[in-house]
Amino acid sequence: MWAAKLAALCLLAVAVSGEEKKMSSHATSMADKSTNLAFNLYQSMAKDKDLENILISPVVAASSLGMVALGGKSSTASQVKTVLSADSVKDEHLHTGLSELMDEVSDSNTRNVTWKINNRLYGPSSVSFIDDFVKNSKKHYKYDHSKINFRDKRSAISSINEWAAKSTDGKLPEVTKDVQNPDGAMIVNAMFFKPHWDEKFHHKMVDNRGFLVTRSHSVSVPMMHRTGLYGFYEDTENRLFVLNMPLAHKKSSMVLIMPYHVEPLERLEKLLTRKQLDTWMSKLEERAVAISLPKVSMEVSHNLQKHFAELGLTEAVDKSKADLSNISGKKDLYLSNVFHASALEWDTEGNPFDTSIFGTDKLKNPKLFYADHPFIFLVKDNKTNSILFIGRLVRPKGDKMRDEL
């Protein structure tokens, strides 16, 4: 009898674990708001003429803003909600919603991706963190906390970079070379993301090719190739291709948006809105596509402080106006830096490919997606509809090739 009961319990456990866990309305709402933040933040960054490659995680950026709201009072806190389009959301729902969203999208077991996320709030040596803030920022946002002596600037920067490198297993060797305004609170996000393709590239189908940074400047990069069935759309009006590449377990996808020919991405970026992306996604058709994609790694660090300010977070970053007294108990802090640093690795690894379609009509006359010039990409989550990463590859790492004629 006990054996039968045990078997029944095991079956019940399997059935429960197999069920798709439903998200709360608060998490669903914050997922939607983080997607708006994705486009607003990317557009702000795209205006910066000094930037080449861009790589940001909107859900992590939203989570960092939530942590600022947790530490802020009065209008300093309410501005965070405005930037997140969450003015009417209660504080408790903001924090629990963002926390649940991050737990969902970063679960490496259910999603079969490598995504290491480490967050730290640095304060000057003189600050005292309130116990309640420390507890809640760990609970909701998985932040740890550290005091740092910026009077020894070189040592402080070295310490930050060492922490980031260690927490990403060496994938992110440097967050910053310098720190402006070292007298405030500093947020550091250190991440490593490696997608696991739903259908892998063959490791032997990799060769060196030229990537056209501009018409007159190329770099040599390893390029991986495969032909398979993918969501594909050619926007002839806007002269661009859209490709949807599922990641393992198909819980998320890599979406690539690439102009026909090498050109500055400014024209595409003006088109890039949430509504336009939804339109492109709705027009995807599954068909044979021959893909060539750079097998590269990107390490990119952005200071988001000025971009958050441009989106309306003006008080928290202003020493004379900031009220972050929930962090320390007094108005002795402002948000001086927001370092958002990520390492992204594109590799051949993934699930075994479907061999049953080889030699069939399904792979006849494939469309060509040859990513040898700058393009925009997103990692889109299929369950929450949030954007895990958004960025652009303009200049991959590689040796300069001879100038084109």
Side-chain angles (χ1 to χ4, degrees):
M1 177 66 75
W2 65 268
K5 284 184 177 178
L6 182 62
L9 283 170
C10 289
L11 284 171
L12 180 63
V14 168
V16 169
S17 65
E19 285 179 11
E20 186 76 17
K21 182 186 168 189
K22 281 196 76 173
M23 290 176 60
S24 71
S25 59
H26 308 311
T28 303
S29 169
M30 292 317 300
D32 182 67
K33 294 177 191 314
S34 75
T35 302
N36 291 330
L37 178 68
F39 293 96
N40 293 338
L41 191 53
Y42 183 89
Q43 293 293 352
S44 171
M45 298 179 74
K47 294 175 191 170
D48 191 335
K49 301 300 181 188
D50 294 330
L51 288 181
E52 288 186 327
N53 298 335
I54 291 177
L55 182 59
I56 50 172
S57 172
V59 288
V60 172
S63 159
S64 294
L65 286 169
M67 195 275 296
V68 176
L70 188 69
K73 281 187 179 177
S74 59
S75 52
T76 299
S78 63
Q79 272 192 355
V80 177
K81 287 186 169 183
T82 301
V83 173
L84 286 170
S85 310
D87 295 282
S88 59
V89 178
K90 291 182 179 177
D91 287 356
E92 62 197 89
H93 296 158
L94 176 84
H95 303 310
T96 58
L98 284 170
S99 177
E100 186 185 339
L101 172 64
M102 282 306 305
D103 285 345
E104 170 64 42
V105 299
S106 63
D107 186 334
S108 58
N109 292 324
T110 60
R111 286 159 189 279
N112 198 13
V113 296
T114 300
W115 194 8
K116 297 180 185 296
I117 307 169
N118 299 276
N119 303 308
R120 179 170 277 194
L121 178 69
Y122 285 95
S125 304
S126 57
V127 76
S128 295
F129 296 115
I130 293 176
D131 289 343
D132 204 38
F133 170 77
V134 170
K135 183 181 79 173
N136 286 320
S137 58
K138 281 183 178 177
K139 174 186 171 184
H140 294 304
Y141 300 112
K142 295 182 170 60
Y143 262 77
D144 63 16
H145 309 79
S146 180
K147 296 188 210 182
I148 198 159
N149 178 15
F150 276 108
R151 279 177 285 192
D152 186 351
K153 201 173 187 183
R154 182 181 295 179
S155 174
I157 291 166
S158 176
S159 175
I160 292 166
N161 288 333
E162 281 175 17
W163 168 78
K166 186 177 180 181
S167 60
T168 57
D169 297 332
K171 298 293 185 179
L172 191 67
E174 186 175 85
V175 168
T176 184
K177 286 183 169 66
D178 192 18
V179 173
Q180 304 297 322
N181 307 320
D183 56 343
M186 180 196 306
I187 288 173
V188 183
N189 309 129
M191 290 170 278
F192 171 58
F193 184 83
K194 183 176 182 177
H196 189 86
W197 306 111
D198 188 56
E199 289 194 285
K200 66 183 179 181
F201 290 77
H202 197 292
H203 67 279
K204 289 186 177 177
M205 292 187 67
V206 178
D207 55 10
N208 284 333
R209 302 280 179 101
F211 185 98
L212 289 153
V213 178
T214 66
R215 288 184 182 276
S216 60
H217 182 91
S218 299
V219 294
S220 175
V221 298
M223 195 81 81
M224 49 192 185
H225 316 275
R226 81 173 309 269
T227 300
L229 298 178
Y230 292 96
F232 180 86
Y233 174 61
E234 180 178 357
D235 184 341
T236 53
E237 181 184 348
N238 291 306
R239 307 184 307 284
L240 58 87
F241 302 110
V242 182
L243 177 69
N244 186 61
M245 299 179 69
L247 302 183
H249 299 346
K250 297 187 178 178
K251 301 228 178 208
S252 57
S253 298
M254 181 78 74
V255 181
L256 303 137
I257 305 162
M258 183 177 71
Y260 283 176
H261 308 291
V262 60
E263 62 172 273
L265 290 175
E266 188 177 357
R267 179 180 69 83
L268 263 66
E269 287 167 339
K270 285 179 179 174
L271 295 171
L272 189 63
T273 62
R274 182 174 185 172
K275 184 178 178 182
Q276 181 62 70
L277 179 66
D278 288 343
T279 299
W280 284 328
M281 298 299 286
S282 71
K283 293 183 176 180
L284 293 171
E285 290 184 5
E286 187 176 71
R287 58 164 305 137
V289 186
I291 300 169
S292 293
L293 193 66
K295 180 181 177 287
V296 293
S297 60
M298 294 170 66
E299 295 90 37
V300 186
S301 182
H302 304 292
N303 191 343
L304 298 184
Q305 192 227 36
K306 67 176 181 180
H307 301 293
F308 281 158
E310 187 175 298
L311 298 182
L313 194 74
T314 56
E315 279 197 17
V317 302
D318 188 326
K319 191 173 182 178
S320 64
K321 295 179 181 176
D323 185 351
L324 296 175
S325 50
N326 278 340
I327 296 178
S328 63
K330 48 189 176 181
K331 289 187 181 181
D332 58 348
L333 285 176
Y334 73 109
L335 195 58
S336 57
N337 295 276
V338 182
F339 289 114
H340 187 86
S342 311
L344 170 68
E345 210 169 88
W346 274 318
D347 205 341
T348 57
E349 294 170 23
N351 294 338
F353 30 76
D354 179 7
T355 55
S356 69
I357 62 171
F358 293 168
T360 68
D361 288 346
K362 288 183 177 179
L363 293 183
K364 274 190 174 179
N365 304 317
K367 287 287 187 180
L368 183 64
F369 191 93
Y370 192 74
D372 71 338
H373 55 279
F375 56 86
I376 296 168
F377 61 91
L378 306 93
V379 180
K380 195 170 184 295
D381 186 64
N382 297 328
K383 180 177 177 180
T384 65
N385 211 28
S386 57
I387 293 174
L388 310 186
F389 279 93
I390 183 170
R392 68 186 184 199
L393 182 64
V394 172
R395 186 185 294 271
K397 287 183 286 188
D399 293 331
K400 183 181 177 182
M401 300 175 74
R402 64 174 180 81
D403 288 346
E404 302 296 313
L405 294 176

